[in-house]
Amino acid sequence: MRRFLLFLWISSLFLAACFVSSSGVQGQSSDKYSLQLQGFVWNHSTLNVLVVTADNESWWNPAYLNITLRAIGQWNDAIAAFASNHSDFSYLSSLRIQSTVSNESQSGFDMYVNWTESSLSNKTDEVGLSQIFPNYRSTVINSTITLAGHTNHGGPLNGVDMQNVALHELGHSLGLGHSNYTGDLMYSTYTMGSSGEAVSTLDVYGVATLFAWELNTTSFYPVNDWLNVNSVILPSDITYQGLPVSPENASPQTLANNPVVQTLILMFEILIHPEIFAFVLLFFVVIVVIALIPKRRKRGNAVKADS
């Protein structure tokens, strides 16, 4: 009897999970994944970035360097994967971000990455900032990325948070704006303590739009003639998904992105789902009642062993 009840309990959770996941997929499939563009483009496909460390600062953490280099590598991995999987955008295979590390700033680079001790704003937890400097022809001259080591409240960013923020700011430096999808890397806000982000097909499709001039380099100017949109929508024939990353560029494993923890969180979210919670609660009450009935009968039939 108890095995049968356990089977029913597990079955109900499984059906609940299927119901929630299918509802979520249906709601998501009807949405259009869109991404804003800043309207500025690079006129070359090898982008050299100078990563400027702050070795002499007391707050400097050497781990910041490796985290940022992983973020650069993750973008390179995602772009390469997208180019190889979608032949229409194979020209992206020539796009690459090359990094140089120094403890002092130098001229002649496309992108600059540096750090500051705390939040970039006294009012909000702005832990990352990307600034693009274009010329009058909408061509990017260079860009600067600033990353904060601590939040506005003084809490340090863990490795996953900093890599996620670095990925987001690198996206801006490539020319991307913000996404309309809350789960996307380029969404406008970020929650501290999140699991490792992935560069999505939407993100790289946006990059592909900005580098479409590679199909015909002679028509680069004027930029406004071919880059005449301020946002892109992911085509229906491209599935929205995170792009693969090599092990050396992946975010470090934490409790937040541990598969077991994520499974437990998913099960908890299923249990408290409004459409399922009442059913689960009723099912649990029935099990408790059934479990107590035999005990009451046994107590009623009990007899003394000694006189």
Side-chain angles (χ1 to χ4, degrees):
M1 181 65 178
R2 290 182 178 178
R3 291 182 179 178
F4 176 70
L5 292 174
L6 179 61
F7 171 76
L8 289 178
W9 173 250
I10 295 174
S11 299
S12 65
L13 289 180
F14 176 77
L15 291 173
C18 293
F19 175 80
V20 173
S21 59
S22 63
S23 299
V25 170
Q26 290 175 356
Q28 191 177 59
S29 63
S30 62
D31 295 335
K32 291 183 177 180
Y33 298 100
S34 67
L35 178 67
Q36 296 174 344
L37 303 177
Q38 297 190 48
F40 309 120
V41 297
W42 296 92
N43 62 1
H44 51 283
S45 55
T46 299
L47 304 177
N48 293 298
V49 55
L50 180 66
V51 183
V52 185
T53 61
D55 300 327
N56 297 327
E57 300 291 342
S58 59
W59 51 264
W60 172 251
N61 185 342
Y64 295 165
L65 174 59
N66 290 333
I67 291 168
T68 305
L69 294 178
R70 284 202 305 266
I72 293 172
Q74 189 171 345
W75 262 107
N76 285 330
D77 290 344
I79 291 170
F82 188 87
S84 63
N85 292 331
H86 302 281
S87 58
D88 290 345
F89 307 101
S90 58
Y91 58 87
L92 277 181
S93 59
S94 63
L95 174 59
R96 187 162 185 83
I97 307 173
Q98 295 185 163
S99 58
T100 300
V101 180
S102 175
N103 58 5
E104 59 182 9
S105 187
Q106 304 172 25
S107 61
F109 286 84
D110 299 306
M111 299 181 185
Y112 294 87
V113 178
N114 52 62
W115 287 265
T116 183
E117 179 178 7
S118 58
S119 174
L120 305 172
S121 171
N122 294 326
K123 297 180 180 179
T124 59
D125 269 338
E126 191 174 6
V127 291
L129 177 66
S130 178
Q131 295 174 288
I132 284 184
F133 301 96
N135 63 19
Y136 72 98
R137 305 179 80 178
S138 299
T139 304
V140 181
I141 301 172
N142 56 51
S143 70
T144 300
I145 295 173
T146 305
L147 304 172
H150 295 76
T151 66
N152 194 33
H153 303 290
L157 273 71
N158 63 39
V160 175
D161 284 331
M162 182 165 285
Q163 184 162 340
N164 289 341
V165 173
L167 283 169
H168 181 94
E169 300 307 330
L170 283 166
H172 282 321
S173 282
L174 286 169
L176 302 179
H178 287 137
S179 167
N180 71 332
Y181 176 45
T182 57
D184 191 77
L185 169 67
M186 296 308 299
Y187 190 65
S188 57
T189 59
Y190 175 73
T191 303
M192 291 294 178
S194 299
S195 57
E197 298 273 7
V199 179
S200 72
T201 49
L202 173 64
D203 303 328
V204 182
Y205 176 72
V207 173
T209 303
L210 295 170
F211 282 84
W213 56 265
E214 289 195 2
L215 293 171
N216 185 6
T217 57
T218 59
S219 63
F220 184 86
Y221 291 115
V223 170
N224 292 337
D225 279 1
W226 57 269
L227 187 62
N228 50 17
V229 294
N230 56 16
S231 66
V232 295
I233 296 175
L234 190 67
S236 58
D237 60 336
I238 299 179
T239 303
Y240 178 91
Q241 60 184 355
L243 290 163
V245 57
S246 58
E248 61 268 23
N249 293 324
S251 297
Q253 283 290 322
T254 64
L255 190 62
N257 57 15
N258 184 283
V260 176
V261 174
Q262 289 181 341
T263 301
L264 293 175
I265 292 174
L266 175 61
M267 296 304 297
F268 177 74
E269 291 176 347
I270 292 171
L271 289 174
I272 64 174
H273 196 277
E275 298 178 6
I276 296 174
F277 179 74
F279 170 75
V280 173
L281 181 61
L282 177 62
F283 192 85
F284 179 76
V285 171
V286 171
I287 288 179
V288 172
V289 171
I290 294 175
L292 291 176
I293 291 176
K295 291 185 178 180
R296 290 182 178 179
R297 288 179 177 176
K298 288 181 180 179
R299 289 177 182 175
N301 296 332
V303 295
K304 288 185 177 181
D306 298 318
S307 58

